[in-house]
Amino acid sequence: MNTSSCIGISTMKPCCRFLIGYRISSIFGVSNFKSRDLVTSNLSKSQSKSVLRNGEARCKVIGYNKCVVDPNRRTFCVSDSSWGPAKGLGKSSFRVYKARKRGVLVIPNVASDFRNHSTSIENHVNEKGFERIYIQGGLNVKPLVIERIESGNEAVKEEDNRVDVNGLGVNLDNLKHLDENVKAQREASKIEEEAWKLLRDSIVSYCGNPVGTVAANDPADKQPLNYDQVFIRDFAPSALAFLLNGEGEIVKNFLLHTLQLQSWEKTVDCYSPGQGLMPASFKVRTVPLDGSDGAFEEVLDPDFGESAIGRVAPVDSGLWWIILLRAYGKITGDYALQERVDVQTGIRLILNLCLTDGFDMFPSLLVTDGSCMIDRRMGIHGHPLEIQALFYAALRCSREMLIINDGTKNLVAAINNRLSALSFHVREYYWADMKKINEIYRYKTEEYSADAVNKFNIYPDQIPSWLVDWIPNEGGYLIGNLEPGHMDFRFFTLGNLWAIVSSLGTPKQNEGILNLIEAKWDDLVAHMPLKICYPALEYEEWHIITGSDPKNTPWSYHNGGSWPTLLWQFTLACIKMGRPELAQKAVSMAEQRLSVDKWPEYYDTRSGKFIGKQSRLNQTWTIAGFLTSKMLLENPEKASLLFWEEDYELLETCVCALSKTGRKKCSRIAARTKILV
Ligand code: GLC
């Protein structure tokens, strides 16, 4: 069946098309959904009709040109001409939206008004014993108090005042400091200026519109591989830099164009991954226009993993897309984008992939190795923390953005249940601190029973020798991965930072993670923030776990290298926990080297002393991460739009019906007696 349904893309200029193979299935026809009722067409009749009507109208306007490329191709057009409000919304969904805006609860457990804030602490503290245990210590967390972020100008003013006050007695020391401050400020802004220029140089345009940034713009790079593409995950800090700078257009274009890529059917060796999959990256190619002499057209060419080294699955792409969509709404105030029918469908398709039933025994997401920032074999298959933390954040975003109606209420309920189960699972089983490691050290094994203490049958000998010396008395972290009989005790930075940002960890755990980073500064930051993971795999472990990967030798690249792009996420986490000075320290250190070193992708050696052996220069997410960190520190109120506080309603949700049947004890209920925090 050849279906070519256009749902109206406005800003797509005539000559643009996509270079992807695809067959059947319109996005609203949803012919190949694998899951049951979660995502079955959630659109009301009136919605789908009006969407198609818009599409038809749009297609007529552009009918004589090349928007719809080929009768076999199913293009997914975006509907408005000004990227304005969704036109496809039927009356019914509008009503629901209005109701939601007024804070009316449409279904139980859907906290109202997610858009503005997470469930507030005041309403919920001391309500339930369970909460008290589960989030014990939560209220001890320092609130976000940022008294003052000192800028050079302020420093100058202060110095000026002192000079004025002293009047005749001019203090030369003060003047010297004044000079130094002004100089440092001038230097800093020169570095930022350079970073902005480089960031702008990395912009990729499609049919005249900015749609993303290339991964790296290294002029000396003779073999760019796919670094000349727009990576979804790499665009996250670029998007935030632009948004914080008041430039929303590129982000909107990015979100809408990648949405179109998602809806194509993709095949890898005759197998089609799920419809909601977002590509790892895409490229704008210029190809000769069919049948025309010497004319060219631009096409979008995505990579869903079918060309990627190792054929890794870009699981994190869809999660980042959802996170960015929310950030766009929060920072620009343009919520119309997320309310559009096509965008709502995009969210649901991603969630469909994540929430679909499988053989899993855990609420965490089961993935193959290399399915996130670490996109090579590194022993992170199974349930790696990075994916769980991004998954949790994306679920929290989706819960805020999904328009609740009859078609989505099951999905929203599924999201709530998963959020609750996932946070319990990670908080309870991934947490490692002195006390927990001591418990594991004394674990009994081979326990067959629902009441087992050592549920995953972890042999105490698994505790690595480095950890025994390394774990500080204060603080702790979430381990890298948890599987039957296996705990990966390595510290993975991105996952831990996102656990803080999304409140996947308890308030006390989140505080503990920052304490650990501070206590282990020389290991995790040293000469360049921040280690992607700690420690490196060496010797036999490196051979066996990486498959002798020469790019991931010990203390290089993914295997214990230092990645400056992690700085913005660290900054966000620090601001959330009321510790901006910690982020400031890391940013200042990075500032001293990044421009001089030409903005490398990563650094090598145990302490991050050398520019990475195969590191690209002018790496965009290094540049954008630095700028974003700077702007977050200057605008902590904007930063607060990008993180979440503890949601007390989620803690109340326990979907485990086992206790009702009386068959078995719910381990969550059982765990109340031995909660870690
Ligand atoms: C490397 C990184 C990956 C990044 C890509 C583009 O493959 O591992 O996380 O997205 O480069 O910068």
Side-chain angles (χ1 to χ4, degrees), residues 319-368:
L319 307 175
W320 279 117
W321 186 86
I322 289 178
I323 291 168
L324 280 184
L325 178 65
R326 174 187 179 269
Y328 172 84
K330 281 280 185 184
I331 297 178
T332 62
D334 171 14
Y335 291 106
L337 183 73
Q338 57 185 249
E339 284 155 12
R340 287 167 50 139
V341 175
D342 50 355
V343 175
Q344 288 277 312
T345 305
I347 302 172
R348 291 199 311 268
L349 288 175
I350 296 169
L351 294 177
N352 180 36
L353 268 185
C354 297
L355 298 174
T356 194
D357 291 337
F359 289 104
D360 307 354
M361 298 297 290
F362 312 136
S364 41
L365 211 54
L366 178 63
V367 297
T368 50

Side-chain angles (χ1 to χ4, degrees), residues 215 227 231 233-234 372-373 375 557-558 563 601 619 621:
Y227 281 85
F231 277 74
R233 72 174 75 86
D234 291 41
C372 50
M373 177 187 180
D375 53 0
Y557 201 46
H558 298 144
W563 291 67
E601 180 188 16
Q619 179 82 19
W621 68 354

Side-chain angles (χ1 to χ4, degrees), residues 25-86:
S25 91
S26 124
I27 195 150
F28 294 116
V30 197
S31 61
N32 53 351
F33 276 173
K34 287 173 192 155
S35 87
R36 298 162 318 206
D37 53 345
L38 284 185
V39 188
T40 44
S41 188
N42 290 325
L43 297 171
S44 67
K45 270 190 190 153
S46 63
Q47 277 175 320
S48 33
K49 259 196 215 149
S50 74
V51 171
L52 291 170
R53 256 201 316 276
N54 278 337
E56 281 162 19
R58 179 63 52 198
C59 286
K60 258 183 222 148
V61 176
I62 56 171
Y64 52 83
N65 57 45
K66 281 274 186 175
C67 179
V68 179
V69 264
D70 172 321
N72 290 331
R73 292 190 173 189
R74 171 178 55 91
T75 186
F76 183 87
C77 296
V78 181
S79 62
D80 61 336
S81 53
S82 58
W83 299 116

Side-chain angles (χ1 to χ4, degrees), residues 203-258:
I203 291 177
V204 171
S205 289
Y206 175 58
C207 302
N209 296 312
V211 291
T213 49
V214 286
N217 227 341
D218 185 346
D221 193 1
K222 296 206 175 62
Q223 207 193 359
L225 297 176
N226 50 357
Y227 281 85
D228 59 354
Q229 305 208 2
V230 180
F231 277 74
I232 310 295
R233 72 174 75 86
D234 291 41
F235 187 66
S238 297
L240 292 177
F242 288 123
L243 287 173
L244 292 168
N245 202 41
E247 299 172 58
E249 193 206 350
I250 184 172
V251 183
K252 191 172 196 173
N253 293 345
F254 168 87
L255 289 165
L256 289 168
H257 281 289
T258 44

Side-chain angles (χ1 to χ4, degrees), residues 128-182:
K128 295 251 166 19
F130 175 49
E131 285 168 19
R132 265 206 307 275
I133 304 164
Y134 196 45
I135 49 159
Q136 199 185 70
L139 296 174
N140 295 332
V141 170
K142 280 192 211 153
L144 175 66
V145 185
I146 294 160
E147 283 168 3
R148 199 164 70 104
I149 305 277
E150 198 173 61
S151 78
N153 286 339
E154 281 163 351
V156 171
K157 237 201 254 158
E158 252 178 36
E159 296 288 344
D160 277 349
N161 284 344
R162 267 185 242 158
V163 172
D164 280 344
V165 169
N166 283 346
L168 293 173
V170 178
N171 182 336
L172 288 180
D173 274 355
N174 280 356
L175 272 187
K176 204 170 128 228
H177 282 140
L178 174 69
D179 273 359
E180 276 163 12
N181 277 331
V182 173

Side-chain angles (χ1 to χ4, degrees), residues 20 46 56 72-73 114 143 147 192 255 352 361 372 391 402 414 417 422 489 561 663 674:
I20 322 168
S46 63
E56 281 162 19
N72 290 331
R73 292 190 173 189
F114 289 124
E147 283 168 3
E192 280 167 58
L255 289 165
N352 180 36
M361 298 297 290
C372 50
F391 180 34
L402 277 173
N417 292 340
L422 181 60
F489 286 100
R663 212 184 105 232
K674 50 171 276 313

